Amino acid sequence: GEDVEQSLFLSVREGDSSVINCTYTDSSSTYLYWYKQEPGAGLQLLTYIFSNMDMKQDQRLTVLLNKKDKHLSLRIADTQTGDSAIYFCAETLTRNTGGFKTIFGAGTRLFVKA
Amino acid sequence: EAGVAQSPRYKIIEKRQSVAFWCNPISGHATLYWYQQILGQGPKLLIQFQNNGVVDDSQLPKDRFSAERLKGVDSTLKIQPAKLEDSAVYLCASSWGDREEGYTFGSGTRLTVV
């Protein structure tokens, strides 16, 4: 099946770490992504991980992939007020007819308290 | 590089009226996507173009929605006639086609049907 699930809200204090979790259902996923959406804007690609990796680090961002449990997480170190946004998890699947398609979760709204 | 351009930014129409949205993707991006994002949900793919051909329109309500990308560059999405449940943000995205790079999204058109 095709489904990406995320918790809806997360609230953290400025300077703390944020961890946003995601589960996906299709074991054939090849790439998994994290996008950020600020108010009134489109989605911005933050980072991605290929399915044969279990961790990827990019500055303050750490992505962990547990393929056995179909679980993806995004850790933001030293969270800042500017990190307040909606974070979308997405997976890319192979189409039955060829090519690929990307499925998005409903998004996790991150609130950062000063 | 210029981003994905969309217009208009906002549109308010009455039910049963028609509306059209325009998208100009990043220069050279062969693949163009139209997504519908209902408030509180993740983006849902409506249609995907590869150059000027349709790759996937399985989620497009074809009785009222239509889209075209005649010269393989910019694209229009039309709704005729609109229903109340069409109220959403319509996002256009483009990509080279390589999955690693993910998609570049425009800022979207917020449609309100009253």
XYZ file of all heavy atoms in Angstrom, chain A residues 42-82:
331
model
N 5.622 27.472 -0.836
C 5.616 26.091 -1.299
C 6.538 25.246 -0.443
O 7.138 25.726 0.524
N 6.663 23.981 -0.784
C 7.523 23.078 -0.038
C 8.971 23.245 -0.503
O 9.243 23.393 -1.693
C 7.087 21.618 -0.255
C 5.914 21.119 0.571
C 4.613 21.774 0.152
C 5.801 19.606 0.482
N 9.878 23.196 0.463
C 11.293 23.336 0.170
C 11.994 22.039 0.570
O 11.859 21.598 1.713
C 11.861 24.506 0.971
C 13.368 24.667 0.898
C 13.895 25.582 1.994
O 13.146 26.104 2.811
N 15.198 25.780 2.022
N 12.743 21.444 -0.357
C 13.451 20.213 -0.038
C 14.556 20.494 0.974
O 15.409 21.348 0.762
C 14.053 19.607 -1.310
C 14.861 18.326 -1.112
C 13.956 17.186 -0.647
C 15.579 17.934 -2.393
N 14.519 19.766 2.106
C 15.557 19.905 3.126
C 16.672 18.894 2.920
O 17.852 19.243 2.920
C 14.967 19.674 4.520
C 14.161 20.783 5.149
C 13.669 20.340 6.514
C 14.962 22.063 5.265
N 16.286 17.637 2.782
C 17.268 16.575 2.657
C 16.567 15.317 2.165
O 15.343 15.224 2.166
C 17.973 16.323 4.010
O 19.049 15.391 3.818
C 17.013 15.777 5.058
N 17.379 14.345 1.735
C 16.815 13.075 1.298
C 17.771 11.969 1.734
O 18.937 12.211 2.056
C 16.631 13.045 -0.222
C 17.943 13.050 -0.976
C 18.580 11.864 -1.319
C 18.555 14.249 -1.333
C 19.785 11.865 -1.982
C 19.766 14.259 -1.989
C 20.383 13.069 -2.326
O 21.588 13.077 -2.981
N 17.269 10.741 1.738
C 18.109 9.597 2.048
C 17.728 8.462 1.113
O 16.551 8.252 0.817
C 17.983 9.196 3.545
C 19.018 8.134 3.924
C 16.566 8.722 3.877
C 19.150 7.945 5.438
N 18.717 7.748 0.617
C 18.478 6.602 -0.244
C 18.215 5.395 0.644
O 18.756 5.293 1.752
C 19.689 6.362 -1.152
C 19.472 5.318 -2.201
C 18.349 5.349 -3.013
C 20.384 4.291 -2.381
C 18.140 4.382 -3.982
C 20.192 3.318 -3.346
C 19.071 3.362 -4.146
N 17.429 4.472 0.165
C 16.946 3.377 1.008
C 18.041 2.403 1.451
O 17.806 1.585 2.345
C 15.829 2.618 0.299
O 16.278 2.122 -0.938
N 19.240 2.471 0.861
C 20.306 1.562 1.311
C 21.190 2.206 2.381
O 22.198 1.639 2.784
C 21.155 1.080 0.134
C 21.987 2.196 -0.469
O 21.835 3.353 -0.100
N 22.850 1.849 -1.394
N 20.791 3.410 2.827
C 21.518 4.091 3.897
C 20.691 4.004 5.176
O 19.469 3.840 5.128
C 21.728 5.565 3.533
C 22.519 5.779 2.258
S 22.418 7.493 1.683
C 23.235 8.363 3.022
N 21.347 4.136 6.324
C 20.573 4.200 7.560
C 20.728 5.533 8.281
O 19.990 5.817 9.222
C 20.900 3.037 8.494
C 22.389 2.897 8.745
O 23.123 3.883 8.516
O 22.827 1.816 9.172
N 21.658 6.360 7.843
C 21.811 7.667 8.467
C 22.430 8.645 7.465
O 23.264 8.267 6.632
C 22.707 7.602 9.706
C 22.757 8.900 10.482
S 23.863 8.865 11.903
C 25.388 9.381 11.152
N 21.996 9.895 7.600
C 22.599 10.964 6.814
C 22.609 12.222 7.651
O 21.606 12.556 8.275
C 21.805 11.186 5.522
C 22.367 12.290 4.650
C 21.573 12.438 3.378
C 22.149 13.534 2.502
N 21.378 13.716 1.251
N 23.762 12.901 7.682
C 23.861 14.125 8.465
C 24.202 15.288 7.548
O 25.034 15.166 6.640
C 24.940 13.979 9.541
C 24.977 15.136 10.511
C 25.505 14.737 11.872
O 25.901 13.593 12.099
N 25.511 15.670 12.787
N 23.533 16.408 7.784
C 23.759 17.611 6.982
C 23.626 18.799 7.903
O 22.520 19.254 8.200
C 22.738 17.674 5.839
C 22.970 18.861 4.914
O 23.933 19.627 5.147
O 22.194 19.016 3.960
N 24.742 19.285 8.418
C 24.782 20.413 9.351
C 23.918 20.095 10.568
O 24.202 19.151 11.299
C 24.387 21.705 8.645
C 25.334 22.044 7.498
C 25.009 23.348 6.805
O 23.859 23.787 6.777
N 26.011 23.988 6.247
N 22.853 20.849 10.808
C 22.027 20.609 12.005
C 21.019 19.479 11.824
O 20.312 19.127 12.765
C 21.284 21.893 12.402
C 22.183 23.019 12.894
C 21.361 24.152 13.516
N 20.458 24.784 12.569
C 19.147 24.894 12.739
N 18.566 24.359 13.817
N 18.400 25.500 11.842
N 20.933 18.947 10.619
C 19.930 17.933 10.316
C 20.539 16.538 10.316
O 21.596 16.329 9.725
C 19.305 18.187 8.946
C 18.697 19.562 8.697
C 18.154 19.650 7.279
C 17.598 19.860 9.702
N 19.850 15.595 10.987
C 20.242 14.188 10.946
C 19.019 13.373 10.562
O 17.973 13.495 11.207
C 20.780 13.702 12.295
O 21.879 14.515 12.690
C 21.227 12.247 12.208
N 19.164 12.562 9.522
C 18.078 11.687 9.099
C 18.450 10.258 9.466
O 19.556 9.816 9.183
C 17.843 11.793 7.583
C 16.745 10.835 7.150
C 17.500 13.223 7.185
N 17.511 9.571 10.124
C 17.705 8.166 10.453
C 16.645 7.338 9.739
O 15.463 7.708 9.737
C 17.595 7.953 11.965
C 18.667 8.622 12.829
C 18.374 8.352 14.305
C 20.044 8.143 12.469
N 17.065 6.245 9.132
C 16.142 5.359 8.433
C 16.243 3.964 9.012
O 17.325 3.368 9.045
C 16.462 5.326 6.933
C 15.662 4.335 6.091
C 14.173 4.644 6.147
C 16.157 4.334 4.642
N 15.122 3.436 9.461
C 15.014 2.060 9.923
C 14.128 1.342 8.911
O 12.893 1.415 8.972
C 14.402 2.006 11.327
C 14.284 0.590 11.857
O 14.117 -0.370 11.102
N 14.372 0.449 13.161
N 14.781 0.683 7.948
C 14.027 0.101 6.852
C 13.185 -1.086 7.315
O 12.105 -1.336 6.785
C 14.977 -0.319 5.734
C 14.297 -0.480 4.401
C 15.276 -0.672 3.271
C 14.497 -0.863 1.966
N 15.395 -1.165 0.839
N 13.678 -1.799 8.327
C 12.944 -2.960 8.835
C 11.587 -2.522 9.396
O 10.569 -3.156 9.140
C 13.774 -3.653 9.918
C 13.082 -4.785 10.653
C 14.039 -5.437 11.647
C 13.288 -6.357 12.588
N 12.449 -5.606 13.532
N 11.603 -1.414 10.146
C 10.359 -0.917 10.745
C 9.667 0.119 9.867
O 8.636 0.666 10.256
C 10.641 -0.300 12.115
C 11.122 -1.336 13.123
O 10.806 -2.525 12.937
O 11.818 -0.951 14.083
N 10.244 0.436 8.707
C 9.699 1.462 7.807
C 9.499 2.768 8.575
O 8.430 3.393 8.525
C 8.403 0.999 7.160
C 8.536 -0.259 6.316
C 7.266 -0.505 5.523
C 7.319 -1.828 4.806
N 7.079 -2.967 5.673
N 10.542 3.184 9.271
C 10.480 4.373 10.106
C 11.580 5.342 9.702
O 12.742 4.963 9.558
C 10.632 3.974 11.586
C 10.532 5.117 12.521
N 11.633 5.812 12.982
C 9.452 5.713 13.082
C 11.229 6.778 13.786
N 9.917 6.738 13.869
N 11.206 6.585 9.523
C 12.131 7.655 9.137
C 12.023 8.773 10.166
O 10.915 9.073 10.630
C 11.747 8.195 7.766
C 12.640 9.267 7.139
C 13.947 8.658 6.656
C 11.914 9.937 5.979
N 13.150 9.343 10.568
C 13.086 10.468 11.491
C 14.004 11.586 11.032
O 14.987 11.356 10.322
C 13.437 10.033 12.920
O 14.798 9.675 12.993
N 13.636 12.790 11.441
C 14.443 13.987 11.164
C 14.757 14.637 12.495
O 13.840 14.983 13.253
C 13.668 14.973 10.285
C 14.354 16.317 10.049
C 15.591 16.161 9.172
C 13.373 17.312 9.405
N 16.031 14.758 12.794
C 16.449 15.422 14.020
C 17.050 16.776 13.642
O 17.923 16.860 12.787
C 17.476 14.584 14.781
C 17.997 15.243 16.065
C 18.961 14.311 16.789
N 19.481 14.896 18.012
C 20.591 15.635 18.082
N 21.312 15.857 16.999
N 20.991 16.135 19.246
N 16.554 17.826 14.310
C 17.088 19.175 14.114
C 17.792 19.554 15.410
O 17.156 19.659 16.459
C 15.971 20.196 13.803
C 15.137 19.728 12.606
C 16.581 21.575 13.541
C 13.916 20.606 12.342
N 19.102 19.735 15.336
C 19.863 20.123 16.523
C 19.758 21.632 16.734
O 19.596 22.397 15.773
C 21.317 19.720 16.356
N 19.827 22.039 18.021
C 19.827 23.468 18.346
C 18.692 24.192 17.604
O 18.917 25.137 16.831
C 21.187 24.082 17.990
C 21.330 25.524 18.439
O 20.640 25.921 19.402
O 22.122 26.257 17.810
N 17.478 23.756 17.848
C 16.323 24.282 17.124
C 16.161 25.783 17.370
O 16.238 26.254 18.509
C 15.050 23.539 17.550
O 15.296 22.139 17.521
C 13.903 23.868 16.609
N 15.908 26.517 16.308
C 15.741 27.965 16.355
C 14.293 28.344 16.015
O 13.569 27.567 15.391
C 16.694 28.636 15.357
C 18.156 28.300 15.587
C 18.638 28.779 16.938
O 18.517 29.966 17.280
N 19.182 27.856 17.734
N 13.905 29.569 16.378
C 12.539 30.004 16.078
C 12.274 29.991 14.580
O 11.150 29.764 14.136
C 12.258 31.402 16.647
O 13.255 32.306 16.159
C 12.302 31.383 18.170
N 13.305 30.198 13.784
C 13.147 30.155 12.337
C 12.879 28.769 11.789
O 12.538 28.616 10.605
